[in-house]
Amino acid sequence: METLVLFALLGLGSGAVIAGIALGVVLSWRGSGTINLAAGATVMVAGYVFWALRTGFFGFALQTVPAIVLTLLFMALYAVVVELVAVRPLRSASPLAKLVASLGVLLLTQALVLLIFGSAPRNSPSVLTGDVVSVFGVAVPEAQFILAGIVVALAGGLAALYRFTRFGLATRAASESERSAALAGLSPNVISLGNSVLGHVATGFVGVLAASIVGLSATTLPLLIIPALAAALFARFTSFGVACAVSLLIGISESLLYQASNESWFPTQNGSAIPGVQQVVEFLLIVIALWWRGSSLPLRGDLVERSLPMVPDQDRLAARVAPVAIACAVALVVLPSDFRQAVATGLVATVLCLSFVVIMGYVGQLSVVQLALAGVAGFVLSHLEAAYGIGFPLAPILAIAAATVLGVLIGASALRVRGVTLVVVTLAAAIAIEQFIFANPDWGGGQTGAPVESPKLFGLNLGADASFRGLDGSLPSPVFGLLALVVTVVLYLFVANLRRGDLGRRMLAVRSNERAAAAAGVNVRAVKIQGFAIASFLASIAGVMYAYDFRTVSANSYGTMSALSLVASVYVLGVTLVQGGVLAGFGAAGAVIPLILQTWVLPESRVSIYMQLIIGAGLLIQLRFCPDGLLVASATKRERRARASRAGKALTAVGAKPQGGV
Amino acid sequence: MPSPVLSARGISVRYGGVQALSGVDIEVRPGQIVGLIGPNGAGKTTFIDAVTGFARCTGSVEVAGRDIGRMRPHARVQAGLGRTWQAVELFDALTVAENLAVAARRPALWTTIRELLTNAEATRPPVGHALEALGIEGLAEAMPGELSEGQRKLVGMARAFVGDPKVVLLDEPAAGLDTDESAELGKHLRRLGDQGTPMLLIDHDINLVFATCDHVVVLEFGQVIATGRPADVRRDPRVISAYLGSAASDDIKVGEES
Ligand SMILES: Nc1ncnc2c1ncn2[C@@H]1O[C@H](COP(=O)(O)OP(=O)(O)OP(=O)(O)O)[C@@H](O)[C@H]1O
Ligand SMILES: [Mg+2]
């Protein structure tokens, strides 16, 4: 009993951090209608800045209080910059664009922190007292209580601010309709900026106080956004009190779960507790929140003027694909071995990126679980061989089917909600899969990775170790690359064809306007599920191909931050266009563009961080100046010209008729 | 009298504290165009939302004798309801023809799968007849963003008619059109009605409504205050005081939508 109390109270610290982030999420939503994926990164930024000021990283060390004050000033400045770069330019943009912008901020700030401060976790000097108090005879650090008290006070203060001040009233009015906020006498820009500064300073403050308790790490802190999103969902992105309470409860249950994992009854594997239970619980919490609160989630009355990226027609496909395919085929034979490997990997990544084109470009939902699904397919493949001796082609078929089913189940849990909330479920699912499946000593590949046999058909080796070598006589064999090329081209044509057909039209109808789609007889849920099934299917195929490409499956390749980078790079290039998927694929980790960079430009150890930096910055620039995506913008221009010349005469003719010329 | 294609009985809708509709009965019979008028906020749009399943309501809704009151919106559409939106709401990523194609066909799963594996373009459903019926066949290849407000309204209507619905509910199709365009629209509607599609027509242009409809229902504060033939409704003192105001005259246009 005493240990239970102790551990419950020890959870208050991390619960407070989650609460700080959840408050930031609620403030972002209320201020600008953004689901702010970067709210977790705010804690990281504040924590590192404070650490640097306290420890003399910048050449001078400050006392605690001045360091806190300076950090909070910095956070206000940071909020203003984020607001001007990633929020204000998108005020009238679609919810998906706003969401993606916060993803850009997350990628960019994490990359910057990693570059400046390195990736090793730091010990932040503690701010709060190290004293302990005795509760029911158990000694508990006072800091836990102080922290929890501070977030509760913050939540109460914010609630009061919203209830009693003109700023709060205007914000509430603004989230119903921007027009009514203007009537309240405050411009939406001011409201959004005010909430943003409030959010960053409040979250940052909690981050500074808690950094010594939860640990300062640029890789783990940003992901605290997931439990915070769960809490925010329960709060319907509105109530500070609920967000705070649920966060503290999550912190407490986390701590209890940790304690329980040392008990004898806790499920174990190879003598140690099974990992990832906490992440699975968080995922389930989010699913429950969506089912319970889903249909009542507030829809903001923002004026959406700029819609989602245009979707150019996919015409003259063969003429476009052939040259690229031939170039790839040649490259797969003549290039030196590391470049051959990179081309093959680029082809596989292309398939993965095509899945983002389907779910983001066509259905208009942000899903980040695909890379994890690819990993699942790879591990299933490896296990079917290792444990049951099932090989090619049955094993990949089963692996693809299993991962696709898993993907559909995850997608189905977000069906009740409108808007872009799928991202919350898929993010939580990705982390849960990473921690529960990949980190499992039996199911995952451990440090070395799980081996995969090369595919063999009728005794013929189709894998990367086939006897047919590249021009320089070394591995990998072009055979697997050519096989991947064929698969990629087929799937590319499939996704392009999807756009032109009935299902594609229905997806785009759902993307533009779910109500109007339903009124046109479209079963919105069915279309979303079909979209999710196709995306999961593509991702699973990519997963199997990855496994054969590397001949091993290792958990490191399927991390959630890599998935976020990949999503972002598809969006930058053109999420509605299959060509965007191809370019993003060749820019993915292990593919051609990073290889070029690391061969001639950048230190190898930091290529992935620099890529993340480029992608995050590129995303923010693209959203600002070229919202359709780089490739889409040019394709749309071309298409408009073509259509105008085709239909120009007819248009003017009708425009002259009485009923047309309004 | 033939039995009604659309029969809505006792429709009540509450939005939080607002009783938007209370016990409204409306029937549309074959060949009829029924007008639904009333001041701003009377509950006209809410009635369409309730019938098409976008607003939670009590009461019963039948289409051609079939109870559709418990279906989800898309299923009601498939059962024969068509509707337009006050704010038009076209699919902005699709051309006009594609907008109509979405509504024109509800393929089975198997057709969908087959289409994914063959040239999808080839199986596009025909939509020309609906465009022609509204005189906008020249717009087929245009994007919604390139159209004028009046053209958008016509496309929205064509989309509601293209799937051969049993009855169509039109929410203010003439808002934003001038008098001539309104009259032209009235002719299109009359012709579509004579060709066999019954309609419920909401509009603030009462001249259009009285000239086009066979039967008119007047709503105020969510309740039916008058119903009957246009000529009778127009003379009803309650309608004149509630809707037209005391200075009622034949050619005023009330409560133009912003
Ligand atoms: N989604 C909603 N939530 C809350 N109240 C609503 C909602 N939609 C409509 N109302 C309210 O219900 C009442 C009826 O609105 P409705 O839109 O049906 O009127 P209307 O007759 O179509 O008016 P108009 O001529 O302006 O289109 C109004 O008081 C309106 O404020
Ligand atoms: Mg209305």
Side-chain angles (χ1 to χ4, degrees):
Chain A
M1 185 62 211
E2 270 134 42
T3 34
L4 274 191
V5 173
L6 175 67
F7 274 93
L9 294 176
L10 284 179
L12 286 176
S14 72
V17 183
I18 296 170
I21 298 171
L23 293 178
V25 171
V26 171
L27 282 166
S28 284
W29 173 268
R30 296 187 85 160
S32 63
T34 311
I35 296 180
N36 184 7
L37 298 180
T42 309
V43 168
M44 167 191 71
V45 173
Y48 271 97
V49 170
F50 175 72
W51 170 84
L53 290 173
R54 272 297 267 128
T55 57
F57 182 82
F58 297 131
F60 58 93
L62 296 178
Q63 290 302 306
T64 300
V65 173
I68 291 183
V69 172
L70 214 57
T71 304
L72 293 186
L73 281 177
F74 177 83
M75 291 317 288
L77 188 70
Y78 172 70
V80 173
V81 172
V82 168
E83 177 77 16
L84 294 182
V85 171
V87 181
R88 182 166 301 180
L90 299 173
R91 200 164 61 75
S92 59
S94 64
L96 181 66
K98 292 180 179 182
L99 178 67
V100 173
S102 79
L103 175 58
V105 173
L106 167 59
L107 293 173
L108 186 60
T109 44
Q110 192 197 31
L112 282 175
V113 167
L114 284 170
L115 285 177
I116 297 172
F117 299 106
S119 55
R122 305 285 180 180
N123 284 322
S124 193
S126 60
V127 177
L128 302 171
T129 159
D131 294 351
V132 293
V133 287
S134 167
V135 184
F136 303 124
V138 188
V140 183
E142 258 177 45
Q144 306 273 349
F145 291 104
I146 300 175
L147 250 183
I150 284 174
V151 288
V152 170
L154 269 177
L158 286 171
L161 184 80
Y162 267 52
R163 177 140 314 170
F164 299 118
T165 66
R166 192 164 76 99
F167 170 76
L169 291 177
T171 305
R172 286 195 300 175
S175 53
E176 262 139 47
S177 96
E178 294 208 335
R179 281 209 195 90
S180 54
L183 293 182
L186 283 176
S187 91
N189 280 339
V190 173
I191 292 173
S192 175
L193 180 66
N195 281 288
S196 182
V197 170
L198 263 180
H200 283 84
V201 171
T203 310
F205 183 54
V206 177
V208 166
L209 300 186
S212 61
I213 299 179
V214 294
L216 195 52
S217 150
T219 47
T220 58
L221 286 177
L223 294 176
L224 285 180
I225 184 67
I226 289 159
L229 281 172
L233 277 175
F234 277 101
R236 298 174 61 212
F237 288 106
T238 313
S239 160
F240 298 108
V242 175
C244 182
V246 175
S247 299
L248 290 174
L249 286 177
I250 292 176
I252 290 172
S253 58
E254 234 170 55
S255 175
L256 289 176
L257 206 57
Y258 175 77
Q259 195 271 335
S261 68
N262 296 324
E263 299 285 335
S264 54
W265 50 264
F266 199 80
T268 58
Q269 219 157 26
N270 302 346
S272 52
I274 61 168
V277 176
Q278 174 200 328
Q279 283 77 10
V280 172
V281 169
E282 281 168 10
F283 168 70
L284 292 177
L285 260 183
I286 284 179
V287 171
I288 292 169
L290 283 178
W291 275 94
W292 184 38
R293 295 293 215 185
S295 48
S296 68
L297 278 184
L299 292 176
R300 284 176 55 97
D302 289 338
L303 304 171
V304 175
E305 283 149 13
R306 221 185 306 132
S307 48
L308 290 155
M310 294 304 296
V311 190
D313 256 344
Q314 312 272 0
D315 52 351
R316 293 184 293 114
L317 275 174
R320 279 189 202 170
V321 173
V324 180
I326 292 169
C328 282
V330 173
L332 280 168
V333 178
V334 303
L335 289 184
S337 107
D338 50 349
F339 276 87
R340 288 206 310 276
Q341 178 70 45
V343 171
T345 304
L347 288 167
V348 178
T350 297
V351 175
L352 189 63
C353 291
L354 287 175
S355 80
F356 294 119
V357 171
V358 172
I359 197 76
M360 272 204 293
Y362 295 176
V363 189
Q365 292 271 331
L366 183 52
S367 160
V368 297
V369 75
Q370 276 95 324
L371 189 60
L373 290 179
V376 170
F379 281 116
V380 171
L381 180 73
S382 164
H383 277 272
L384 285 176
E385 280 173 2
Y388 305 101
I390 302 174
F392 192 82
L394 187 58
I397 292 174
L398 292 177
I400 290 168
T404 305
V405 169
L406 180 63
V408 171
L409 289 178
I410 293 166
S413 56
L415 270 192
R416 265 165 65 92
V417 287
R418 282 178 287 181
V420 290
T421 341
L422 183 64
V423 69
V424 183
V425 176
T426 53
L427 192 55
I431 299 282
I433 290 174
E434 192 180 332
Q435 298 299 327
F436 187 69
I437 299 181
F438 299 166
N440 186 292
D442 277 357
W443 307 334
Q447 289 302 311
T448 52
V452 176
E453 291 273 322
S454 280
K456 289 198 180 62
L457 202 58
F458 310 120
L460 206 64
N461 189 342
L462 303 174
D465 58 351
S467 50
F468 174 56
R469 299 290 159 99
L471 269 195
D472 58 0
S474 67
L475 287 176
S477 159
V479 172
F480 175 75
L482 292 172
L483 184 66
L485 178 62
V486 172
V487 174
T488 306
V489 168
V490 168
L491 294 175
Y492 176 96
L493 294 175
F494 168 77
V495 173
N497 193 41
L498 174 62
R499 157 68 184 94
R500 308 195 296 176
D502 210 74
L503 181 56
R505 278 194 296 273
R506 275 180 283 154
M507 286 176 173
L508 290 172
V510 167
R511 189 190 86 150
S512 327
N513 192 327
E514 293 188 11
R515 282 196 315 169
V522 174
N523 185 344
V524 174
R525 288 183 200 173
V527 166
K528 284 186 178 170
I529 275 290
Q530 285 162 7
F532 213 77
I534 292 175
S536 306
F537 176 66
L538 291 167
S540 314
I541 295 178
V544 168
M545 290 164 75
Y546 266 128
Y548 285 134
D549 183 23
F550 296 124
R551 284 180 293 151
T552 159
V553 195
S554 99
N556 307 339
S557 325
Y558 305 102
T560 305
M561 287 313 292
S562 325
L564 294 178
S565 288
L566 209 54
V567 171
S569 67
V570 179
Y571 201 94
V572 174
L573 293 162
V575 67
T576 53
L577 209 55
V578 274
Q579 292 94 310
V582 178
L583 266 192
F586 278 81
V592 182
I593 296 172
L595 179 64
I596 292 175
L597 288 179
Q598 85 182 41
T599 310
W600 287 296
V601 190
L602 295 170
E604 183 171 350
S605 60
R606 295 193 148 190
V607 165
S608 63
I609 301 178
Y610 277 108
M611 281 304 286
Q612 182 178 334
L613 186 80
I614 294 169
I615 291 167
L619 189 56
L620 294 175
I621 294 169
Q622 174 254 326
L623 284 169
R624 175 85 173 75
F625 296 104
C626 178
D628 282 352
L630 305 181
L631 296 178
V632 178
S634 63
T636 316
K637 213 179 285 167
R638 212 175 333 108
E639 181 186 312
R640 192 166 294 156
R641 232 179 288 127
R643 225 162 5 89
S645 67
R646 247 185 297 146
K649 283 175 199 139
L651 248 174
T652 32
V654 172
K657 276 193 187 174
Q659 78 272 16
V662 181
Chain B
M1 243 205 284
S3 61
V5 227
L6 171 68
S7 154
R9 265 174 265 128
I11 303 293
S12 301
V13 176
R14 259 193 106 73
Y15 285 126
V18 185
Q19 187 74 38
L21 283 181
S22 25
V24 173
D25 299 320
I26 293 181
E27 288 188 344
V28 182
R29 292 174 188 281
Q32 260 189 339
I33 300 184
V34 174
L36 178 60
I37 59 174
N40 287 116
K44 307 181 293 295
T45 301
T46 304
F47 177 76
I48 292 194
D49 284 345
V51 168
T52 48
F54 290 95
R56 200 175 293 200
C57 70
T58 56
S60 78
V61 186
E62 287 181 9
V63 168
R66 179 170 168 211
D67 181 5
I68 61 163
R70 308 198 147 275
M71 296 180 180
R72 281 166 55 204
H74 73 92
R76 297 185 191 209
V77 174
Q78 292 174 3
L81 278 180
R83 77 167 285 183
T84 69
W85 300 87
Q86 199 163 341
V88 193
E89 322 224 352
L90 299 181
F91 307 129
D92 49 14
L94 299 175
T95 65
V96 167
E98 286 177 318
N99 260 274
L100 269 62
V102 169
R105 206 164 52 124
R106 340 211 178 288
L109 185 61
W110 171 240
T111 325
T112 304
I113 292 172
R114 202 181 48 205
E115 204 183 67
L116 288 178
L117 306 175
T118 54
N119 184 355
E121 194 89 306
T123 55
R124 192 144 123 187
V127 297
H129 60 285
L131 291 172
E132 271 163 36
L134 290 158
I136 48 170
E137 56 275 23
L139 299 181
E141 292 298 312
M143 297 302 283
E146 304 162 352
L147 303 180
S148 69
E149 189 56 31
Q151 290 171 327
R152 291 169 61 83
K153 290 249 152 167
L154 292 174
V155 173
M157 287 171 60
R159 191 176 67 187
F161 280 101
V162 75
D164 287 326
K166 296 197 171 76
V167 54
V168 177
L169 317 174
L170 300 167
D171 198 350
E172 304 202 11
L177 306 192
D178 67 28
T179 326
D180 288 346
E181 292 163 350
S182 254
E184 184 79 11
L185 177 75
K187 276 189 220 143
H188 284 309
L189 291 180
R190 206 52 265 182
R191 202 175 56 245
L192 283 162
D194 293 341
Q195 282 167 6
T197 313
M199 280 171 248
L200 180 78
L201 172 64
I202 295 182
D203 215 284
H204 283 296
D205 182 347
I206 50 166
N207 291 322
L208 172 74
V209 173
F210 285 145
T212 320
C213 297
D214 310 294
H215 188 89
V216 175
V217 180
V218 187
L219 274 186
E220 192 189 23
F221 298 126
Q223 279 173 329
V224 177
I225 56 164
T227 165
R229 291 184 313 154
D232 303 336
V233 167
R234 164 175 283 189
R235 272 185 234 106
D236 190 313
R238 289 174 62 193
V239 175
I240 293 174
S241 73
Y243 185 65
L244 304 178
S246 49
S249 86
D250 272 352
D251 45 23
I252 54 164
K253 222 166 138 183
V254 195
E256 192 59 55
E257 186 62 17
S258 59

